[in-house]
Amino acid sequence: MPEPQAPDDTREALAAIASLLAPAHPDVAEQVLHAHDRPHDYVSAFGDRLADRGIDEPVDNLAWIALVDGLDVHGLLAEFDWKEDAQEIRSQLRKLRSRPSVDPWVLLGEKEMLLPTEKFLHACGRRYREIGAALAVLDIESDCYPVVGLRAARTEELTALAARAGFPLRHLGAGRSRR
């Protein structure tokens, strides 16, 4: 995990990220701040959801996981296994409420559909960028890819906020993967 940030700076950055990625759903920011401010209470309140992730007590990235879970509940995030099929990725990305109005899938070739998960996600990210959208992974230090969509013009803002919050974020299709 990156270096710890000042608590207020982290809190403000987490709230801003939730507002950026879920502007119509203030409950996402509320859950993220709940996890940040009162981690034990958050684990008690969301124990069933966290149990699916093998979490039964507060962890360092609990607020980040709360963000991922909150976005998922509202259809603003798709979470993929490290060995996910390209068709399933495509299907899940199409269901995102944050998907672009222009369909980037017409830009994907047959060879790209045969790529392994991470490379396919980067190919999707490149295609999204071509139409002014972007995909980012909210890395929760697991063997999965929690992916969000947003306008490409907002990626620098999201990157800066994630750095301020001290949590890992990777943009898909913006360069070589570090995994």
Side-chain angles (χ1 to χ4, degrees):
M1 182 179 285
E3 289 182 34
Q5 306 295 313
D8 288 339
D9 195 38
T10 299
R11 189 177 197 285
E12 289 171 13
L14 286 167
I17 291 167
S19 295
L20 171 67
L21 296 175
H25 303 285
D27 61 305
V28 174
E30 290 169 12
Q31 288 178 21
V32 169
L33 295 178
H34 183 187
H36 178 267
D37 297 341
R38 299 181 324 277
H40 288 284
D41 292 344
Y42 182 84
V43 170
S44 293
F46 294 95
D48 291 341
R49 183 190 300 173
L50 294 170
D52 291 341
R53 297 188 182 281
I55 298 172
D56 59 2
E57 61 185 39
V59 293
D60 289 341
N61 64 345
L62 186 62
W64 202 239
I65 290 171
L67 174 66
V68 167
D69 287 345
L71 293 170
D72 184 46
V73 164
H74 292 292
L76 298 167
L77 178 135
E79 194 165 346
F80 304 110
D81 184 73
W82 69 280
K83 289 169 60 169
E84 197 75 63
D85 172 75
Q87 289 295 347
E88 180 62 21
I89 292 171
R90 185 176 179 171
S91 173
Q92 293 300 316
L93 289 177
R94 278 188 158 157
K95 293 177 186 176
L96 286 179
R97 291 185 177 171
S98 56
R99 72 186 175 280
S101 57
V102 175
D103 188 0
W105 301 111
V106 297
L107 303 172
L108 282 171
E110 282 185 43
K111 287 184 181 179
E112 288 173 311
M113 294 300 291
L114 301 174
L115 292 171
T117 303
E118 185 171 6
K119 289 182 180 185
F120 181 71
L121 285 170
H122 279 283
C124 293
R126 284 189 299 276
R127 298 305 183 218
Y128 269 60
R129 287 225 176 247
E130 291 174 13
I131 60 168
L135 293 174
V137 175
L138 305 180
D139 193 343
I140 58 172
E141 300 173 357
S142 181
D143 63 352
C144 65
Y145 300 92
V147 176
V148 295
L150 67 154
R151 290 186 339 216
R154 306 290 306 263
T155 58
E156 286 183 27
E157 178 183 1
L158 178 60
T159 301
L161 288 169
R164 273 184 49 207
F167 291 103
L169 172 84
R170 292 184 292 132
H171 293 285
L172 295 169
R176 292 275 306 151
S177 169
R178 290 176 282 178
R179 258 191 188 220

